[in-house]
Amino acid sequence: THVFKNSLRRFNTMSRTIKLFYDVLSPYSWIAFEVLHRYKQKWSLQLQLRPFFLSGIMQLSENRPPGVIPLKAKYMGRDIARLAQFYKIPLKRPSVSDLCSFNV
């Protein structure tokens, strides 16, 4: 157990790099960013932010976003609210004008 504790201590002090691929309109991205940023010192993280455009990927792959499928949208709303409450992250839905400013 002594060897294991020393290895664990060494692991906890090692710096790790996390690449966060995020979409600015995604509440899941916002939650991930907030949590990683909050704990980056404690977890010895280096964050590399990589923006991407999820709507463009959805369009090119001929996929539909979960927010436009009623049952998935309902689940997603509850899931995001649970995560936000658990991590104590305030979330505000974007207005229609915010969403309309992005053309796909």
Side-chain angles (χ1 to χ4, degrees):
T1 44
H2 181 62
V3 172
F4 176 74
K5 286 181 183 177
N6 285 339
S7 296
L8 188 58
R9 214 175 284 126
R10 228 181 5 258
F11 177 77
N12 286 336
T13 60
M14 291 172 35
S15 180
R16 292 174 285 286
T17 300
I18 300 287
K19 290 182 185 176
L20 177 61
F21 291 81
Y22 68 96
D23 184 315
V24 296
L25 294 179
S26 167
Y28 288 107
S29 290
W30 178 252
I31 291 168
F33 172 81
E34 286 292 323
V35 170
L36 290 171
H37 187 70
R38 180 185 301 165
Y39 294 110
K40 73 179 183 178
Q41 296 286 357
K42 184 175 186 166
W43 294 344
S44 300
L45 298 177
Q46 297 292 320
L47 284 178
Q48 290 183 357
L49 302 177
R50 300 287 190 254
F52 75 102
F53 187 44
L54 185 58
S55 293
I57 293 170
M58 288 289 191
Q59 186 178 30
L60 289 173
S61 65
E62 298 180 2
N63 200 347
R64 293 185 331 159
V68 300
I69 302 168
L71 288 176
K72 287 184 179 182
K74 185 177 177 180
Y75 173 81
M76 200 169 92
R78 289 191 315 258
D79 188 44
I80 290 165
R82 278 191 300 262
L83 288 168
Q85 182 179 12
F86 180 80
Y87 289 111
K88 297 176 177 47
I89 297 170
L91 288 179
K92 177 182 166 255
R93 288 182 67 106
S95 69
V96 173
S97 62
D98 292 337
L99 295 174
C100 291
S101 64
F102 288 91
N103 293 323
V104 179

